[in-house]
Amino acid sequence: MSQYKIEAGTGQHIGDRQEQQDRAALFAAPHAPGYMLAVVADGMGGKSGGALAAEQVIRTAKQLFDEFYPGNDVRVLLENIVSEAHTVIKLSGVSAEKEPHSTVVALVITPAQEAIWAHVGDSRLYRFNGPNFSFKTKDHSYVEKLVDEGKLAPEEAKYHKLSNILINVLGSGTTAPYVTIGQYSPLKANDNFLLCSDGLWHYFDDAELSAAVAANSPRQASELLIRKARERSDGRGDNCTFAIVKLVEPPAEVKSYTVQKMRRAV
């Protein structure tokens, strides 16, 4: 019997922007039973450009996951999603005379009780153990670089005037993106994951996010997080997009048979 079952969902709100430039999706692999993929992309690049960039990330992720088979390397899959989406976004920007970019964070859950993820930019993955915060990815941003160099305190980074400047994105015409990959195993019931754009994580601390995800179904948590993000944004909120993946205790087996006394054979 499986040690856990997967509950997952996505949430999204346009915030106070004129256009929704984020995308989120959940996929099953048609040729690899037991594998699932969650993706969040935060597009940038002016009217429609950012939305097209984020949409390209989702399309590329689906296309490559549809071609994924058991035994293939998940890390290579994630690297290929980033590489191919970057190339197409860059080319589409040239043809449209725009500069579309996108971040991405993607998570694969495997039947071998592994979680493998990759990210580019400042879209984050959080891992929680029940209501307890365990891990989050490190942003590819200018302020995070200042923190690493000891020039800025971590608590100052979120509200720094240059906090929205990224040093690693998909679609750049000058620099190829680098991919940060992480892994966690063995997975067990009550391991929870949150993938989100900065339009969500900016308004919460780690403990708030872990508590909201642990105490609610993905849909209930989505409604709660969006409501709180809207309250805290004070009319200046960015697009808010995320995916929640929860590993929960499987339901107890229910006996579906009856035992009757055998009749004596003659």
Side-chain angles (χ1 to χ4, degrees):
M1 183 175 179
S2 175
Q3 296 186 7
Y4 55 78
K5 70 171 185 174
I6 298 175
E7 293 183 352
T10 62
Q12 192 168 49
H13 196 284
I14 194 171
D16 297 291
R17 300 292 190 254
Q18 293 184 342
E19 182 183 17
Q20 175 58 264
Q21 297 194 340
D22 294 356
R23 297 291 187 271
L26 302 167
F27 300 114
H31 304 297
Y35 287 80
M36 74 153 292
L37 170 65
V39 188
V40 169
D42 182 354
M44 301 158 281
K47 187 175 182 180
S48 298
L52 290 174
E55 185 65 31
Q56 185 57 55
V57 173
I58 300 300
R59 290 179 181 176
T60 301
K62 183 181 186 308
Q63 176 185 348
L64 294 183
F65 203 46
D66 282 349
E67 300 169 356
F68 183 84
Y69 285 83
N72 292 359
D73 192 325
V74 173
R75 295 161 191 79
V76 173
L77 165 72
L78 294 171
E79 290 171 349
N80 287 343
I81 289 171
V82 169
S83 177
E84 293 192 20
H86 164 69
T87 298
V88 176
I89 293 169
K90 184 172 64 173
L91 293 175
S92 65
V94 171
S95 62
E97 298 183 349
K98 296 180 180 180
E99 294 186 3
H101 300 101
S102 183
T103 69
V104 61
V105 58
L107 166 70
V108 175
I109 301 292
T110 82
Q113 299 177 344
E114 295 175 304
I116 304 170
W117 59 84
H119 85 284
V120 175
D122 65 348
S123 289
R124 294 181 179 177
L125 176 139
Y126 290 80
R127 179 171 61 83
F128 311 121
N129 177 242
N132 302 310
F133 166 78
S134 298
F135 168 84
K136 66 183 173 185
T137 52
K138 181 180 290 188
D139 300 339
H140 300 150
S141 64
Y142 178 67
V143 293
E144 195 64 50
K145 182 173 181 291
L146 294 179
V147 170
D148 289 343
E149 295 172 349
K151 298 177 181 179
L152 187 68
E155 58 271 16
E156 298 175 317
K158 182 183 289 189
Y159 299 102
H160 194 278
K161 62 182 179 180
L162 299 178
S163 62
N164 63 335
I165 302 300
L166 302 181
I167 59 174
N168 186 34
V169 294
L170 279 66
S172 170
T174 57
T175 307
Y178 58 89
V179 187
T180 299
I181 291 182
Q183 177 179 349
Y184 175 76
S185 65
L187 294 172
K188 56 190 179 301
N190 297 318
D191 283 331
N192 303 319
F193 297 89
L194 171 67
L195 293 73
C196 59
S197 65
D198 61 336
L200 180 75
W201 63 251
H202 182 82
Y203 300 106
F204 298 91
D205 61 34
D206 301 338
E208 289 178 316
L209 292 173
S210 60
V213 171
N216 298 280
S217 69
R219 178 169 181 171
Q220 292 168 332
S222 297
E223 293 172 349
L224 171 63
L225 291 171
I226 288 174
R227 184 172 68 252
K228 288 296 183 182
R230 295 299 300 141
E231 291 173 0
R232 296 176 180 183
S233 66
D234 196 26
R236 297 186 296 273
D238 197 356
N239 297 158
C240 173
T241 302
F242 53 94
I244 295 172
V245 179
K246 299 186 64 174
L247 308 184
V248 302
E249 295 279 357
E253 287 191 70
V254 178
K255 187 172 68 172
S256 59
Y257 59 88
T258 59
V259 177
Q260 297 180 341
K261 185 177 180 179
M262 292 183 64
R263 301 176 65 181
R264 184 176 179 179
V266 177

